[in-house]
Amino acid sequence: MAESKWWQRAVVYQVYPKSFQDSDNDGIGDLRGITRRLGYIKKLGVDVIWLNPIYKTSNVDGGYDISDYKAINPTFGKMADFEELLTKAHKFGLKVMMDLVVNHSSFEHEWFKKSLVKGKNNPYRDYYIWRDPVDDHEPNNWGSFFSGPAWTYDKESNQYYLHLFAKEQPDLNWDNPDLRHSIFEMMNWWASKGIDGFRMDVISLISKPDGLPDAPKGKTALYGNAGDLVANGPHVHEYLHEMSQQVLSKYDWITVGETAGVTVEEALKYANLDGSELNMVFQFEHMGLDGNRDSALGKWDDRHVSLPKLRESLVKWQRALNKKAWNSLYWNNHDQPRVVSRFGNDDPKYRVLSAKMLAAVLHFMQGTPYIYQGEELGMTNAGFENLKDYRDVESLNAYHELVNRMKILDDKTMLRYLRARSRDNARTPMQWNASLNAGFSEHTPWIRVNSNYKEINVEAALDDPSSVFYFYQHLIELRHKLPIITQGEFELVSGNEKDKSVFSYTRKLEKQTILVIANFTANKVERNYDIPYSGKVLIKNYDDDCGEKLRPYEVKVYVY
Ligand code: ISL
């Protein structure tokens, strides 16, 4: 196999700045807070930090509504604080990947303010997607991903503008070469600061379908579901090739496209090993298995996905991209519930065991693993009981639409669904220690701290050699040491295809084999896969080894 690239051997740690560490005690995390904690991140052993947006923002969607791409959010600090963070991270040998949010800007961005003026001579009007009303209504039936219509009317100009997300996040018009030029210029500007790459927010949505046709609409839905129509649009690969020529090809960066609606076929283009577009993509298949994609409820539910469904999806991506493109590996991020609560078991009896099991299953696959802050502690869903504790625009809008407007869910059910799926589950402050506000801030935090912080926190984890933290540290060390983890061929163990409890796969490189066996249930099971159970144990989550017997959430990884 060809020599691997640095970003193929790397492990990424995702920091959600608003909730990581507050240094000035205003209840909101900030850049100096992150700088202060670099030693902790380094100790975990990762190679790259991905920072969620840190730019000036209208603060409607956790910073994904950027009002100045070249300015720092003042509540996070100043440009000098960012430069210090970058320099210190580099001293620690940590690279820094930034978030690039260019499917849309904030409505407070200069470009949008200028765009409000209608007229042929206004170059900024065409930076966004404006359309005339049709029969006094929206130009088409699209719904916003955050509830309500995807169009907002502007009285002054008697036109609508498109926003796939909140109305404060108008979509940029990538068909306009000047807009593309402005974005590439901005990216090169960040490059000159010495950053190490970009995670590209919903980059699969930048090229809208010709004519903006109506989208399919479920029987009970208020709006058409534009998801599939706008994903992987007609010019998206052309625009990414152009970005590659104008920007990416000049730097030895890590790039990952967040590609909602990506299929395997499309991923082979976005993340092709020929390097013509991006290094890798975040695909969403395994994140959508426990939702109600085709009903008005969308992601809102509290079902658990079955192991066969989850495995089928993960295995499909391992096989399909093999030798052609590159996978990213993730269980959760700032938009998803905590993995231990979702695919494991956050009951205190099983939390640590299942967090380790899930970690091992993910980290031995092929691809670049991403760890979301707190995942390395086995942090759990926040589980807020009251609506007033939620902050996320998606959650609050969905509550309003499903409970108040459509009346298809009652308050109690929706709160149950929020406890299972709200993005706020992942956005509670990082739990550093057992002191006030988990050591995150001396001020009341912008969002409540998870009530389990006295048991689950960094200080406790570092004091306990058998903590989830040290398990992750070990996984990362193994990946750095053993090329087979990056390069080995993935194979599902024969006979495992339909197993409802156990997930087992191998990785093979030359004469070496790694075997992963994981019990996804709280039951004891026994399996004989007709493969050598001998060999050296690379990592496991119980002290001893009972051969073919697997205890609740047991994982064992052998090398032979
Ligand atoms: O969060 C989701 C499901 O709950 C996704 O649909 C999410 O909106 C989608 O993956 C896009 O996410 C990204 O862009 C959004 C932003 O709100 C998310 O935080 C970001 O990760 C709009 O910029």
Side-chain angles (χ1 to χ4, degrees):
M1 191 167 179
E3 181 62 3
S4 56
K5 303 271 200 307
W6 74 262
W7 43 266
Q8 293 178 316
R9 298 186 298 270
V11 179
V12 182
Y13 187 78
Q14 182 190 348
V15 169
Y16 193 70
K18 203 172 175 182
S19 297
F20 196 59
Q21 176 71 70
D22 178 15
S23 75
D24 58 359
N25 290 316
D26 61 355
I28 302 170
D30 47 48
L31 297 175
R32 286 179 171 211
I34 302 170
T35 305
R36 215 180 97 196
R37 295 295 189 177
L38 285 173
Y40 168 73
I41 299 174
K42 183 66 189 170
K43 188 174 170 78
L44 185 58
V46 297
D47 308 276
V48 182
I49 301 173
W50 152 30
L51 295 178
N52 282 106
I54 56 165
Y55 317 95
K56 197 170 165 209
T57 172
S58 39
N59 249 321
V60 169
D61 180 25
Y64 282 91
D65 45 323
I66 298 172
S67 49
D68 186 344
Y69 289 106
K70 294 183 182 170
I72 301 291
N73 176 352
T75 47
F76 289 173
K78 298 194 168 64
M79 189 56 83
D81 298 317
F82 173 74
E83 284 159 358
E84 191 191 3
L85 168 57
L86 189 63
T87 309
K88 291 215 165 133
H90 285 166
K91 277 202 186 126
F92 271 107
L94 292 164
K95 296 186 186 271
V96 177
M97 174 165 72
M98 306 284 282
D99 218 308
L100 181 78
V101 190
V102 290
N103 171 71
H104 44 268
S105 75
S106 159
F107 73 122
E108 288 178 349
H109 195 288
E110 269 315 296
W111 296 340
F112 189 71
K113 287 191 199 156
K114 289 182 184 160
S115 169
L116 285 170
V117 183
K118 196 177 172 186
K120 286 217 165 55
N121 299 328
N122 174 9
Y124 289 100
R125 184 72 173 177
D126 195 41
Y127 265 42
Y128 294 85
I129 301 172
W130 290 96
R131 290 291 182 278
D132 288 331
V134 172
D135 301 331
D136 286 335
H137 280 286
E138 287 83 3
N140 67 24
N141 72 351
W142 295 1
S144 144
F145 294 126
F146 291 164
S147 309
W151 296 94
T152 288
Y153 182 64
D154 170 51
K155 221 165 125 198
E156 288 294 305
S157 62
N158 186 31
Q159 281 196 316
Y160 286 86
Y161 67 87
L162 177 70
H163 52 89
L164 294 176
F165 295 89
K167 64 178 187 313
E168 295 86 355
Q169 294 168 295
D171 278 53
L172 289 160
N173 176 19
W174 274 72
D175 294 333
N176 179 344
D178 293 338
L179 176 270
R180 299 201 299 277
H181 176 81
S182 300
I183 291 187
F184 302 152
E185 185 275 326
M186 175 269 286
M187 293 172 77
N188 281 317
W189 185 86
W190 278 103
S192 70
K193 295 221 168 269
I195 66 160
D196 303 290
F198 277 118
R199 171 266 188 195
M200 304 185 188
D201 192 59
V202 284
I203 203 73
S204 53
L205 308 185
I206 58 174
S207 169
K208 313 302 190 254
D210 292 335
L212 309 182
D214 276 349
K217 187 166 154 303
K219 263 195 205 133
T220 53
L222 294 177
Y223 304 97
N225 180 355
D228 287 337
L229 258 185
V230 289
N232 317 307
H235 304 288
V236 67
H237 298 292
E238 180 189 323
Y239 297 155
L240 286 176
H241 276 242
E242 191 181 332
M243 180 194 282
S244 175
Q245 279 152 16
Q246 306 280 324
V247 189
L248 309 180
S249 59
K250 299 196 256 177
Y251 316 105
D252 186 19
W253 272 358
I254 178 170
T255 55
V256 49
E258 193 220 19
T259 47
V262 75
T263 57
V264 156
E265 293 69 36
E266 287 294 327
L268 292 175
K269 300 182 201 162
Y270 287 115
N272 200 288
L273 292 178
D274 70 8
S276 57
E277 296 186 24
L278 308 174
N279 295 158
M280 61 193 116
V281 294
F282 289 134
Q283 59 89 10
F284 280 90
E285 211 173 273
H286 62 308
M287 294 288 111
L289 298 173
D290 49 9
N292 285 296
R293 198 169 181 278
D294 297 319
S295 95
L297 290 183
K299 70 180 246 182
W300 302 105
D301 204 321
D302 62 353
R303 274 184 302 154
H304 280 276
V305 65
S306 70
L307 175 61
K309 266 174 107 182
L310 185 62
R311 174 181 43 226
E312 192 189 345
S313 164
L314 296 171
V315 170
K316 172 177 136 187
W317 283 85
Q318 286 290 297
R319 287 185 179 146
L321 268 49
N322 186 32
K323 294 201 172 79
K324 298 184 195 128
W326 192 249
N327 268 302
S328 68
L329 307 170
Y330 73 99
W331 277 136
N332 46 202
N333 57 39
H334 64 293
D335 290 334
Q336 300 293 337
R338 291 281 180 183
V339 63
V340 70
S341 303
R342 188 184 198 178
F343 300 139
N345 189 333
D346 61 13
D347 183 296
K349 198 163 154 205
Y350 298 124
R351 184 185 63 85
V352 169
L353 282 170
S354 64
K356 291 179 182 175
M357 182 278 288
L358 289 160
V361 166
L362 192 89
H363 280 249
F364 282 100
M365 287 193 194
Q366 187 168 56
T368 299
Y370 289 72
I371 301 168
Y372 177 64
Q373 67 180 46
E375 180 187 332
E376 78 283 10
L377 306 173
M379 270 178 70
T380 67
N381 277 353
F384 295 144
E385 300 282 340
N386 299 310
L387 191 64
K388 69 168 179 30
D389 291 327
Y390 286 91
R391 299 285 176 270
D392 170 33
V393 60
E394 181 194 48
S395 305
L396 297 172
N397 287 1
Y399 180 97
H400 175 71
E401 186 150 300
L402 299 171
V403 179
N404 298 336
R405 190 162 167 218
M406 296 176 77
K407 302 193 192 318
I408 52 175
L409 289 180
D410 58 33
D411 164 80
K412 224 172 118 200
T413 312
M414 186 61 189
L415 279 171
R416 220 174 67 224
Y417 290 173
L418 287 173
R419 281 199 292 279
R421 298 280 196 279
S422 169
R423 308 196 295 183
D424 282 339
N425 282 306
R427 296 180 180 183
T428 59
M430 182 71 177
Q431 293 164 205
W432 294 103
N433 56 45
S435 73
L436 178 73
N437 302 323
F440 165 71
S441 176
E442 282 167 25
H443 188 281
T444 308
W446 70 276
I447 187 170
R448 277 181 60 175
V449 177
N450 191 316
S451 54
N452 60 22
Y453 73 93
K454 290 205 169 127
E455 294 81 52
I456 305 171
N457 61 62
V458 168
E459 212 171 274
L462 295 181
D463 276 350
D464 173 8
S466 66
S467 66
V468 180
F469 177 91
Y470 289 116
F471 194 86
Y472 270 87
Q473 190 188 53
H474 193 183
L475 288 172
I476 299 164
E477 264 168 33
L478 288 170
R479 179 169 280 264
H480 287 152
K481 210 164 70 189
L482 303 175
I484 183 174
I485 302 177
T486 307
Q487 299 182 22
E489 196 84 13
F490 174 95
E491 263 175 54
L492 192 62
V493 165
S494 144
N496 187 240
E497 294 80 3
K498 299 209 165 75
D499 199 311
K500 291 198 174 98
S501 313
V502 175
F503 189 0
S504 184
Y505 64 84
T506 56
R507 302 288 307 281
K508 290 189 177 147
L509 185 69
E510 289 155 7
K511 290 201 175 101
Q512 199 175 39
T513 300
I514 283 181
L515 169 65
V516 178
I517 308 174
N519 179 4
F520 269 68
T521 73
N523 306 318
K524 282 190 199 146
V525 295
E526 203 170 322
R527 293 289 183 274
N528 179 358
Y529 286 117
D530 197 24
I531 32 135
Y533 278 85
S534 57
K536 190 173 153 226
V537 175
L538 270 185
I539 194 164
K540 56 185 166 45
N541 63 349
Y542 278 81
D543 288 339
D544 54 344
D545 184 349
C546 302
E548 292 171 13
K549 290 197 184 68
L550 291 173
R551 287 154 288 187
Y553 301 105
E554 180 157 9
V555 68
K556 302 190 278 194
V557 183
Y558 299 97
V559 63
Y560 50 87

